[in-house]
Amino acid sequence: RVALIAKVFADAFGQRLFDEGEALWQASSASQARPPSHQALGFAVARPRRWDAASHTLWQEVVPGASIADRMSSDAAVPLVRQMGAAAGSIAVSGLEPGERYGRDRQMRDTRGYCIDLEQRVPWLAGAVRKLCDELEQLHERVPQQPLVPTHGAPHLHQWLWTGERLGLVDFD
């Protein structure tokens, strides 16, 4: 018997997550053949089971394992962090093609929006925030554009699981 997680969406966004989840799962499975330019992912992911369009529900298998949080205050922390870095880096060379692109220009637009929001919420900081955002925008313009590679986006401590043999990484949505 396999444990499943259901994620319910307001719209059909979960369909894209199902499709991308299938590609992730295949890339994380050691048995899948890959072109020489593509590497396997260095971690386990949730296997998508089905997308129910009528209820906008994505069904996924649970990634086996336990939180790595307790291991981060032990002698295992340094090797584990190295393993996490290598695992996260394997996404960029996996050959995966995510449906959404989030490049540097979008990040700068979002940052500018966050600055405006902060200026409105904390008016006494407005001058300092505006100065910081202007400096960030100048730096942004000077840094050359780089090719985009896929990433997790938020691989924080609580997204990682220890499976006993390898890491698991969850919440790609």
Side-chain angles (χ1 to χ4, degrees):
R1 180 160 247 191
V2 176
L4 299 177
I5 293 175
K7 294 183 177 183
V8 181
F9 298 88
D11 55 24
F13 178 70
Q15 174 68 61
R16 190 181 96 206
L17 295 179
F18 175 82
D19 295 340
E20 290 181 358
E22 182 64 29
L24 282 164
W25 185 79
Q26 288 179 11
S28 76
S29 301
S31 63
Q32 300 293 325
R34 284 167 195 70
S37 61
H38 298 172
Q39 293 183 13
L41 292 176
F43 50 87
V45 298
R47 181 179 188 178
R49 292 303 289 253
R50 72 178 186 276
W51 165 248
D52 182 342
S55 65
H56 293 153
T57 305
L58 170 62
W59 293 89
Q60 299 174 301
E61 291 182 9
V62 172
V63 177
S67 171
I68 64 165
D70 292 342
R71 298 172 142 261
M72 298 311 266
S73 59
S74 72
D75 292 340
V78 171
L80 187 57
V81 168
R82 286 187 177 122
Q83 187 177 357
M84 290 165 61
S90 72
I91 301 170
V93 294
S94 66
L96 291 168
E97 292 287 335
E100 186 172 351
R101 306 252 187 258
Y102 192 89
R104 59 177 272 186
D105 292 339
R106 181 171 166 193
Q107 178 63 62
M108 192 63 237
R109 280 193 309 274
D110 287 356
T111 299
R112 179 57 75 184
Y114 300 143
C115 289
I116 291 168
D117 184 53
L118 184 57
E119 289 173 14
Q120 292 171 350
R121 290 177 189 265
V122 190
W124 61 271
L125 282 178
V129 170
R130 191 169 304 114
K131 182 177 187 257
L132 174 63
C133 276
D134 289 345
E135 290 173 9
L136 287 172
E137 205 153 314
Q138 290 170 9
L139 288 170
H140 171 80
E141 291 170 7
R142 289 198 310 254
V143 173
Q145 183 85 310
Q146 299 291 322
L148 296 177
V149 295
T151 64
H152 180 281
H156 60 76
L157 179 66
H158 299 288
Q159 305 286 36
W160 292 96
L161 301 171
W162 178 248
T163 68
E165 296 177 10
R166 68 192 289 213
L167 292 168
L169 184 57
V170 298
D171 286 341
F172 278 81
D173 50 320

